[in-house]
């Protein structure tokens, strides 16, 4: 059996892989099976140790696109980058995009992904009109808000467990072109971050902050806030250049020292304070997509991402405590994102986004010390009734998961009996 891995490159497991090329392909008779999109989840939601993965990238056909309404129908293995390539020249853009465009439509639905405009647009599922769900017993369900609505709610954010999504119909949003106009500014602490978020959310489609996770003492919680709207600009789009991280270094160069140095430079660079910024959508929305295989940076042991959402009035204290622990541990990385989610209720039983502030950051895998640190972050998340994002997780305990997502018991009624994942077995103890 070939070894498979996800974006965090940990865990690695043996699984059989069947490449789908037609949406009419029958599902294999023997389980456990699981759909695999483009493997941009960080942990084990897209892995199926000892089972079979249905690789969906071959389901890559567009079915229809109406440039007068922005309604697109496509197969589930189409990448968002392909959607953009087709629709942007006609003035349309996906209504919600995660921090990489290299995800499939099926993967975006199954994790009900969110973007930098969550406060305005909600999650991916808010813009999904319908999809086809293939079950292992041969049934094909059309799922929409007006038909099989319960299956719709179980499948969006349903971690691929309810069956195979083969096609979807999406509503895109109009844009004047490829440019994002806005500004960026430094903030000195979390209080200033929350003020900037509150002041920006009504006027800006996209808001997001980078945080210096190595800063401590009076610098704790400092970062750079970026905000912008799709806008008109006359310059030709920059030439697309893609680089590849060439090798996996034997040791990760991401250390306490390199992170402190990088963060100091990043925080003080002139672009951190710009009043009339003009970004091409690519570096603004998908900053790492031009550097292929950047996940090799963390060396052969891979890395973890920790993304939590902290709701309510205790969020600031919880966040400060997390940042203090991370700074003391010297285990954080330079890739740290902070974002205020909006209040639009998610549509999926297990969707991750909910009102609150979300923190996402990478940790090189240093074994036990890293796992201990992440468990102590979980203790804080649990204490404020927050949640950790399954799409980014490879290690949360069953206890944590079941507290974060009490609807997991309801999801069980919709799980296809042939479908399972390494993640689901880990967090529910099911076989
Ligand atoms: C650099 C980077 C930035 C990111 N930023 C964000 C972000 O801002 N917001 C966010 O929400 N996420 C973000 N992510 C996570 C990513 O968007 C999600 O993990 C996404 O679901 C990955 O899609 P994929 O196509 O690679 O699916 P995979 O990772 O291969 O699979 C994800 C899940 O979808 C299921 N699945 C895939 N295809 C199908 C199908 N056809 N039918 C049924 N189930 C299916 C799988 O079983 C699995 O459970 C980021 C990831 C990276 C690497």
């Amino acid at each position: 059996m070939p070894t498979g891995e996800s974006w965090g490159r940990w865990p690695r497991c043996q699984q059989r892989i069947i490449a789908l090329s037609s949406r009419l392909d029958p599902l294999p008779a023997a389980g456990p099976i699981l759909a695999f999109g483009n493997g941009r989840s960080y942990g084990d939601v897209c892995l199926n140790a000892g089972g079979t993965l249905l690789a969906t990238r071959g389901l890559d056909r567009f079915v229809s696109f109406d440039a007068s309404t922005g309604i697109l129908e496509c197969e589930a293995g189409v990448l968002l980058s392909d959607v953009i390539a087709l629709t942007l020249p006609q003035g349309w853009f996906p209504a919600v995009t995660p921090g990489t465009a290299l995800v499939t439509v099926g993967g975006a639905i199954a994790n009900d992904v969110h973007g930098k405009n969550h406060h305005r647009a909600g999650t991916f599922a808010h813009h999904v009109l319908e999809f086809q769900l293939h079950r292992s017993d041969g049934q094909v369900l059309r799922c929409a808000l007006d038909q099989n609505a319960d299956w719709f709610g179980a499948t969006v954010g349903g971690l691929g467990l309810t069956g195979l999504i083969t096609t979807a119909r999406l509503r895109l949003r109009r844009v004047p072109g490829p440019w994002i106009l806005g500004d960026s500014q430094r903030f000195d602490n979390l209080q200033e971050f929350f003020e900037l978020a509150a002041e920006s959310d009504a006027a800006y489609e996209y808001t997001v902050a980078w945080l210096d996770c190595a800063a401590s003492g009076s610098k704790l919680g400092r970062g750079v806030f970026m905000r912008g709207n799709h806008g008109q600009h006359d310059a030709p789009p920059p030439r697309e250049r893609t680089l590849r991280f060439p090798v996996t270094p034997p040791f990760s160069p991401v250390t306490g020292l390199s992170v402190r140095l990088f963060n100091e430079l990043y925080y003080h660079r002139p672009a951190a304070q710009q009043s009339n910024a003009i970004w091409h959508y690519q570096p603004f929305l998908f900053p790492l997509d031009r550097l292929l295989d950047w996940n090799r940076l963390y060396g052969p042991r891979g890395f973890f991402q920790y993304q939590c959402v902290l709701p309510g009035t205790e969020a600031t204290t919880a966040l400060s405590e997390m940042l203090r622990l991370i700074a003391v541990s010297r285990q954080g990385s330079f890739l740290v994102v902070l974002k205020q989610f909006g209040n639009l209720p998610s549509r999926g039983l297990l969707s991750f986004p909910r009102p609150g502030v979300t923190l996402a950051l990478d940790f090189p895998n240093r074994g036990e010390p890293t796992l201990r640190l992440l468990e102590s972050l979980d203790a804080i998340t649990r204490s404020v009734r927050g949640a950790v994002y399954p799409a980014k997780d490879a290690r949360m305990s069953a206890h944590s998961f079941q507290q974060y997502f009490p609807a997991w018991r309801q999801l069980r009624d919709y799980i296809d009996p042939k479908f399972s994942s390494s993640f689901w077995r880990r967090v529910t103890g099911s076989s």
Side-chain angles (χ1 to χ4, degrees), residues 14-282:
Q14 305 282 306
Q15 50 210 337
R16 198 158 74 100
I17 297 174
I18 296 181
L20 300 180
S21 56
S22 160
R23 57 182 184 263
L24 304 175
D25 282 351
L27 299 183
I33 52 181
L34 182 74
F36 183 87
N38 206 31
R40 256 44 182 194
S41 300
Y42 284 72
D44 52 1
V45 287
C46 59
L47 300 178
N48 193 10
T52 300
L53 285 184
L54 304 176
T56 61
R57 283 286 289 114
L59 306 183
D60 59 355
R61 295 162 197 88
F62 289 103
V63 178
S64 63
F65 177 56
D66 181 340
S68 65
T69 59
I71 292 178
L72 170 83
E73 185 170 2
C74 65
E75 290 185 338
V78 167
L79 295 176
L80 291 187
S81 55
D82 295 334
V83 172
I84 295 169
L86 174 79
T87 63
L88 181 57
Q90 303 180 65
W92 296 93
F93 203 79
V96 167
T97 51
T100 169
L102 303 175
V103 302
T104 62
V105 167
I109 294 174
N111 274 327
D112 195 12
V113 300
H114 58 273
K116 296 174 178 63
N117 61 354
H118 180 270
H119 58 285
R120 296 277 281 270
T123 67
F124 198 80
H126 285 108
H127 309 277
V128 174
L129 299 173
E130 63 175 272
F131 54 82
Q132 300 278 334
L133 183 69
H134 284 226
R135 303 270 296 172
S136 62
D137 61 4
Q139 268 194 90
V140 179
L141 300 176
R142 174 186 174 270
C143 302
L145 293 185
D146 63 359
Q147 191 181 5
N148 295 314
D150 54 337
W151 287 93
F152 184 97
T155 302
V156 303
L159 311 176
L161 297 164
T162 61
L164 175 73
I165 302 162
T166 52
T167 58
R169 232 155 56 86
L170 313 175
R171 184 186 291 113
L172 309 189
R173 55 152 300 154
R174 266 200 190 284
V175 291
W179 301 101
I180 310 274
L181 313 186
D183 60 39
S184 58
Q185 48 195 300
R186 297 186 190 98
F187 53 89
D188 289 333
N189 50 52
L190 292 177
Q191 174 73 22
E192 285 184 23
F193 162 80
F194 283 111
E195 283 165 14
L196 275 168
E199 146 199 333
S200 310
D201 279 1
Y204 290 90
E205 166 90 17
Y206 299 111
T207 62
V208 70
W210 166 84
L211 202 73
D212 180 354
C213 75
S216 56
S218 62
K219 295 178 179 170
L220 187 97
R222 73 176 183 176
V224 177
F225 195 91
M226 283 153 280
R227 53 192 188 179
N229 289 314
H230 288 279
Q232 192 84 46
H233 180 55
D234 290 335
R239 238 170 14 105
E240 288 198 3
R241 279 182 48 225
T242 308
L243 300 170
R244 185 176 291 276
F245 200 83
V247 288
T248 303
F251 300 103
S252 171
V254 182
T255 63
L257 182 63
S258 63
V259 171
R260 273 210 310 287
L261 284 173
F262 175 92
N263 285 5
E264 202 59 43
L265 292 172
Y266 193 81
Y267 179 77
H268 287 291
R269 80 200 202 286
Q273 194 77 35
Q274 290 184 83
S275 46
N276 288 308
I278 300 170
W279 293 280
H280 187 253
Y281 76 87
Q282 184 65 256

Side-chain angles (χ1 to χ4, degrees), residues 5 11 20 44 50 95 98 116 217 224 238 269 298 306 311 371 387 400 426:
E5 60 185 34
L20 300 180
D44 52 1
K116 296 174 178 63
V224 177
R269 80 200 202 286
Y298 290 99
Y306 189 82
L371 292 171
S400 291
R426 177 164 63 79

